[in-house]
């Protein structure tokens, strides 16, 4: 393994597989799981995660055409569904690579049909029905069902699936989610009355999988739970044990003693009241570490939780190591994860910063290498800086 001396994210693939197995136990035997690897696998690396979960999933879901094509470029052949709208300029590539776009307007369907016919291909797609998210999708009513009939009558395309998305399945009160599921099933009934039978039906997200809402259909879509985080504190965690897969680690780059009255970092928001020893860590908001942790957050050094002093900078931050043992250049630092008996969770960073745990992991930056572990051993690394611009030289 290349030695990383600034910062790196450890991704525990055994934890990823544990989470898949834990969720799988919640599902009926007939229900297949789809692994959501959008946003670069929620910051964990979409291609390595897709490979790790391959034994557990029927296919994958992403948010954009580029994310889908990346999986294909890396030899991932299972079905890939794009959950968000795609510009028609991508349709040819999607058809040739057997990638399923979502469709919910006649304009989208006609463009997909024209392209498929011109290529002499049949393009699979998934219809989207809006049952209460109010984001994308046709209405779950008679007019929506009539639109679906017109779409499904077009040449060169086939409605492989029909899905909706739960807006509030991660809440204790499941009334809204159950209402959405009811609307979805009503729409399926309307389609059936019009002679439209769509093979694959799916509603459940991670919260649905854990709390068993919509899990009796053909597919479920596992997202945040793959990575060992619960959608919220309101889901029934006893139904599916999850293990966080990401740890974020760094090293001390400088240690210095400061006198009373000395200010630390931009704006002088922290001022020493007594002699202190501070350590500089080469991580900042340029790496995706939240600036809102300024003066609020903690890191782990030598198994102890130490506070961040002053503002988090773009590339560095300072912490209080007063009274600690031998802290020097290259002393390991844990920003997310465990050190001895102490642990800092992604949820802790979200609470301290006033943020959201999903965005913490998704925002870990491209200059942070990912290191992949199995049984504690490095099995791969991912560095993002391999761009080439031969025509710009």
């Amino acid at each position: 393994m290349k030695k990383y001396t600034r910062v790196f994210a450890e991704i525990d693939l055994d934890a990823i597989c544990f989470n898949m197995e834990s969720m799988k136990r919640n599902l009926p035997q007939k229900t297949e799981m789809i692994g959501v690897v959008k946003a670069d696998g929620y910051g964990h690396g979409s291609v390595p995660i897709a490979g790790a979960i391959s034994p557990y999933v029927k296919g994958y879901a992403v948010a954009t055409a580029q994310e889908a094509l990346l999986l294909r470029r890396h030899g991932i052949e299972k079905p890939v569904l794009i959950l968000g709208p795609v510009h028609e300029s991508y349709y040819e590539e999607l058809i040739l690579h057997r990638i399923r776009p979502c469709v919910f307007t006649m304009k989208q369907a006609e463009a997909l049909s024209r392209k498929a016919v011109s290529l002499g291909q049949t393009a699979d797609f998934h219809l989207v029905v809006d049952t209460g998210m109010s984001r994308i999708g046709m209405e779950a009513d008679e007019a929506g069902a009539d639109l679906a009939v017109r779409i499904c009558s077009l040449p060169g395309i086939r409605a492989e699936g029909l899905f909706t998305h739960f807006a509030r399945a991660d809440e204790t009160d499941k009334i809204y989610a159950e209402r959405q599921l009811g609307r979805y099933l009503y729409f399926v009934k309307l389609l059936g009355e019009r002679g439209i039978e769509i093979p694959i039906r799916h509603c459940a997200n991670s919260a649905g999988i854990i709390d068993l809402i919509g899990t009796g259909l053909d597919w479920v879509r596992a997202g945040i739970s793959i990575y060992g985080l619960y959608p919220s504190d309101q889901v029934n965690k006893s139904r599916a044990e999850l293990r966080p897969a990401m740890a974020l680690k760094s090293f001390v780059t400088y240690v210095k003693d400061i006198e009373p009255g000395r200010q630390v970092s931009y704006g002088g928001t922290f001022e020493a009241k007594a002699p202190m020893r501070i350590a500089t860590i080469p991580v900042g908001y340029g790496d995706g570490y939240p600036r809102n942790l300024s003066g609020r957050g903690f890191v782990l050094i030598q198994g102890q939780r130490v506070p961040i002093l002053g503002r988090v900078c773009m590339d560095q931050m300072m912490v209080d190591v007063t009274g600690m043992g031998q802290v020097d250049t290259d002393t390991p630092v844990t920003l997310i994860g465990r050190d001895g008996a102490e642990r800092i969770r992604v949820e802790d960073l979200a609470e301290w910063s006033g943020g959201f745990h999903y965005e913490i992991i998704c925002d870990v930056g491209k200059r942070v290498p990912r290191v992949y572990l199995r049984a504690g051993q490095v099995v791969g690394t991912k560095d993002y800086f391999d761009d080439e611009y031969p025509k710009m030289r």
Side-chain angles (χ1 to χ4, degrees):
M1 164 187 160
K2 177 180 177 181
K3 182 172 174 58
Y4 296 109
T5 58
R6 182 175 172 270
V7 60
F8 62 95
E10 277 186 354
I11 311 299
D12 184 350
L13 297 179
D14 293 327
I16 296 286
C17 293
F18 177 91
N19 299 333
M20 298 302 293
E21 292 171 356
S22 185
M23 286 184 286
K24 200 80 169 175
R25 286 192 289 270
N26 269 3
L27 301 178
Q29 190 170 1
K30 73 180 183 72
T31 303
E32 301 276 6
M33 195 179 302
I34 295 298
V36 182
V37 293
K38 62 182 179 177
D40 197 29
Y42 290 57
H44 293 66
S46 62
V47 172
I49 297 302
I53 67 176
S54 180
Y56 306 97
V57 298
K58 181 69 173 180
Y60 305 94
V62 295
T64 70
Q66 297 93 327
E67 290 176 337
L69 291 166
L70 176 67
L71 297 181
R72 289 289 189 253
R73 284 201 300 274
H74 284 274
I76 293 167
E77 294 299 326
K78 287 188 175 183
V80 177
L81 167 65
I82 302 176
L83 298 171
V86 176
H87 192 272
E88 64 182 74
S89 61
Y90 283 101
Y91 282 171
E92 180 170 342
E93 281 188 281
L94 300 188
I95 293 167
L96 294 176
H97 286 91
R98 307 175 316 284
I99 294 167
R100 286 79 163 158
C102 69
V103 169
F104 49 92
T105 70
M106 200 65 192
K107 180 180 179 182
Q108 294 168 331
E110 288 172 342
L112 186 64
S113 172
R114 285 194 302 270
K115 184 56 67 176
V117 169
S118 73
L119 294 171
Q121 302 278 334
T122 298
D124 286 334
F125 67 95
H126 286 226
L127 283 170
V128 192
V129 57
D130 181 6
T131 60
M133 183 74 173
S134 302
R135 187 167 61 183
I136 60 173
M138 59 187 64
E139 293 300 310
D141 57 15
E142 299 275 353
D146 290 340
L147 172 59
V149 170
R150 296 197 301 275
I151 287 173
C152 291
S153 69
L154 293 170
I157 61 175
R158 183 179 80 102
E160 177 189 59
L162 171 70
F163 73 92
T164 194
H165 190 67
F166 291 141
R168 297 172 61 180
D170 60 347
E171 297 177 356
T172 303
D173 187 341
K174 303 299 181 188
I175 289 177
Y176 195 84
E178 289 168 352
R179 188 179 301 151
Q180 282 193 263
L181 179 59
R183 288 176 184 149
Y184 176 87
L185 295 175
Y186 171 68
F187 191 71
V188 170
K189 175 177 173 289
L190 292 179
L191 294 182
E193 291 171 352
R194 289 160 172 77
I196 302 294
E197 297 292 336
I198 297 178
I200 299 170
R201 300 165 302 152
H202 52 112
C203 297
N205 50 11
S206 292
I209 294 170
I210 294 168
D211 280 344
L212 309 180
I213 301 294
T215 53
L217 302 177
D218 302 292
W219 284 2
V220 296
R221 303 185 303 270
I224 192 70
S225 49
I226 293 175
Y227 309 98
L229 301 181
Y230 291 96
S232 75
D233 284 333
Q234 295 184 47
V235 299
N236 188 344
K237 297 179 181 179
S238 67
R239 287 200 176 117
E241 181 186 354
L242 301 177
R243 295 178 181 172
M246 180 185 287
L248 186 62
K249 301 189 175 183
S250 185
F251 306 89
V252 171
T253 53
Y254 187 50
V255 179
K256 70 186 301 179
D257 295 308
I258 61 172
E259 68 280 3
R262 185 75 167 264
Q263 295 182 348
V264 177
S265 197
Y266 290 110
T269 58
F270 178 84
E271 182 175 301
K273 300 294 189 292
M276 298 181 68
R277 173 161 289 187
I278 65 173
T280 301
I281 300 166
V283 178
Y285 61 81
D287 302 290
Y289 193 81
R291 187 175 183 269
N292 280 354
L293 288 169
S294 299
R296 301 178 182 177
F298 299 84
V299 304
L300 302 180
I301 298 178
Q302 296 178 347
Q304 297 183 51
R305 188 173 286 197
V306 298
I308 295 170
L309 303 178
R311 291 180 180 163
V312 173
C313 311
M314 182 180 287
D315 316 301
Q316 302 177 79
M317 60 178 155
M318 283 65 78
V319 300
D320 181 8
V321 294
T322 306
M324 295 185 64
Q326 186 63 34
V327 177
D328 207 341
T329 301
D330 294 333
T331 295
V333 179
T334 299
L335 295 93
I336 299 171
R338 187 178 296 278
D339 182 359
E342 277 285 357
R343 178 186 176 196
I344 292 178
R345 307 173 306 150
V346 172
E347 293 89 342
D348 295 327
L349 298 192
E351 181 181 348
W352 298 335
S353 66
F356 184 48
H357 58 307
Y358 285 56
E359 70 180 322
I360 299 289
I361 54 173
C362 288
D363 288 351
V364 174
K366 295 293 183 282
R367 68 184 187 185
V368 179
R370 274 62 163 178
V371 176
Y372 297 92
L373 305 180
R374 280 196 184 275
Q377 301 299 310
V378 176
V379 295
T381 60
K382 177 178 176 67
D383 288 274
Y384 290 85
F385 292 103
D386 56 358
D387 305 38
E388 293 185 9
Y389 308 101
K391 295 183 180 179
M392 294 176 62
R393 293 173 184 158

